[in-house]
Amino acid sequence: IQGSLSPLMLPSVFNLLSEENPEFWRSQAQKTLQSVLDRKLNTNVAKNILFFLGDGMGITTYTAARILKGQLQNQTGEETVMTMDTFPNVGLAKTYSVDFQIPDSAATATAYLCGVKTNLNVIGVSAAARNGVCKSQKGNEVTSILKWAKDAGKSVGIVTTTRVQHATPATSYAHSASRKWYSDADMPDAAKRDGCTDIASQLLKNTDIDVIIGGGRKYMTPKGTKDPEYPRDYSSRGKRKDGRNLINEWQTHYVWNKTDFDAVDPETTDYLMALFEPGDLRFEAERDPNMDPSIVETTEKAIRILQKNPKGFFLLVEGGRIDQAHHAGRAFMALHETVAFDYAIAKGLELTKEQETLTIVMADHSHPVTFNGYPFRGQSILGKSPLWATDMLPYTTLMYGNGPGHKITNGKRPDIRNVNTKTKDYVQLSAVPTESATHSGEDVAVLARGPMGHLFQGVQEQNYIAHAMAYAACVGADQRHCQGQTEASVLHSTFTNDRNAAGVARGSVALLGSLLSVLLALAVLV
């Protein structure tokens, strides 16, 4: 064994040997069965909602990332248990939008955050609005669970690895007929004349958000404003045409680098805006740990600030660049982003109490990435199938249905026998040439734990998620769960009081009986 495998893989080899014993699988299954049988429903009202959104994290990405996480720990990978895997409640969400079979992140975010399905490319508005048509936006705005939570007195926050004006985070606070109206410079003049405002300005205006962490500095500052980190890069400079500096208008704690971020004391900080890049954050595999914190660190800081509120909090944490890596056909980057996302989920669970915190993990949509061939157990998830195709050439285990990886020359695929497919820059082969890989339309997983986590089961429309979260936490219009808890408390109190009163009555009767017995005994003696 030692002659053919790295010593680091030996534990996995011994695991494989034990797996040949049927008792290994029977014992494992019995332990799992017992843990499921021992589960008790948590029907508490959720004080906190911790909502983790893996943008583009379809089932294939989820599975492949699990394997990668294990392989990064020198295991075979397939048997790895991710933090996501420990969530007891699992369901599926149907992701189609009102107008398209396969959605984008704007339409899906409006569904799971606002509880209403809508059209492609619009955020925080119903399907009565039209993409890019400002006038159609008016009167069709829909609010999100972030606002419902704020209105209920909770603290609220956004953590993302994209720009904070991007579709997912933007839907929590903005209403826009176009997801691309990041700043006023991105809006057509007609939209401005008709009274629509850009997403960045709505970040400060619409809802009093306590914590905002991500990227997107250039959409907040006047045109030509030099970026503090990249002063010589013209593409990183401010874009706003209206002359407003939204960072200055924020007027509370603002940081743009890790040193200042680390110095933020959650105990003495109630509001924080942290924008670490002019646009989206760097991929985890390329992140400079001296300049930008990880998604684990940003998640921890946000929770520590928000959880001081005795009424609880709502926090949206987006692993937003999973999607962007898939668009580029770069499976390495997508999977490493997903692994980092899983570690952020673990940090969230570590910092909160399951009895009072509803934690949700889900994707908004999937991507046309396939997990194929017949790779051996423990083979690199970023490697090649040991069985070659009929053209006598190898192919990678992960490939795309469409994307920039289409490389047919003179009717032949490239020969990748001597190509290292495990590097961060490798672009997987795609069947159809597109500049950017599209999304895909299959259902996505919804994982839940904590108060009312059992609501997130079965196959549901994606907009159901917002309503179920709101019900669990008693935010928004549906207050039945709170009323039920109150009634249950009253009934319990009444039952306890009645039982105590009955006990006192029984005690009094017993005492009178004893006194009568004593008197009768004295009468007999006399």
Side-chain angles (χ1 to χ4, degrees), residues 28 33 58-59 84 166 232 236 252 341 393 421 443 447-448 504:
Q28 183 187 79
L33 176 61
I59 298 289
M84 288 184 262
H166 209 254
R232 296 183 179 180
S236 297
T252 49
F341 182 63
L393 292 173
T421 61
D443 297 349
L447 313 167
V504 170

Side-chain angles (χ1 to χ4, degrees), residues 45 107 198 358 385 404 446 451:
V45 172
D198 63 280
L358 172 63
S385 172
V446 182

Side-chain angles (χ1 to χ4, degrees), residues 19 56 178 189 203 235 249-250 268 285 312 350 352 385 390 430 435 510:
E19 288 174 8
S178 174
D189 291 337
L203 176 61
S235 65
E249 289 183 27
W250 171 251
T268 59
E350 174 193 324
T352 56
S385 172
T390 54
S430 67
E435 187 176 335

Side-chain angles (χ1 to χ4, degrees), residues 201-212:
S201 65
Q202 293 185 57
L203 176 61
L204 271 62
K205 174 187 173 186
N206 290 357
T207 305
D208 182 26
I209 304 175
D210 301 273
V211 175
I212 302 165

Side-chain angles (χ1 to χ4, degrees), residues 249-268:
E249 289 183 27
W250 171 251
Q251 291 184 338
T252 49
H253 210 137
Y254 168 74
V255 299
W256 62 269
N257 61 68
K258 189 172 187 297
T259 301
D260 292 342
F261 179 76
D262 289 344
V264 173
D265 182 1
E267 294 303 315
T268 59

Side-chain angles (χ1 to χ4, degrees), residues 152 470-471 473-485:
Y471 178 90
C474 284
V475 299
D478 191 346
Q479 296 288 309
R480 285 177 297 162
H481 188 39
C482 279
Q483 292 161 1
Q485 291 282 321

Side-chain angles (χ1 to χ4, degrees), residues 53-57 93-113 116-127 129-132 165-171 176-182 199 318 320 323-324 327 362-368 436-442 444 462-463:
L53 192 285
D55 200 312
M57 189 185 70
K94 297 187 277 187
T95 64
Y96 68 90
S97 66
V98 170
D99 56 347
F100 277 80
Q101 199 171 68
I102 296 177
D104 74 330
S105 295
T108 53
T110 303
Y112 62 74
L113 289 175
V116 175
K117 285 213 172 194
T118 191
N119 298 324
L120 219 68
N121 291 324
V122 301
I123 59 173
V125 291
S126 73
R130 296 292 177 264
N131 179 25
Q165 305 86 359
H166 209 254
T168 300
T171 304
S176 181
S178 174
R179 59 177 288 180
K180 296 182 179 179
W181 292 348
Y182 303 122
I199 294 167
E318 183 200 21
D323 167 84
Q324 293 177 349
H327 279 303
M362 67 176 289
D364 50 354
H365 56 73
S366 187
H367 279 267
S436 171
T438 65
H439 295 164
S440 63
E442 71 270 23
V444 294
Q462 196 168 39
N463 66 297

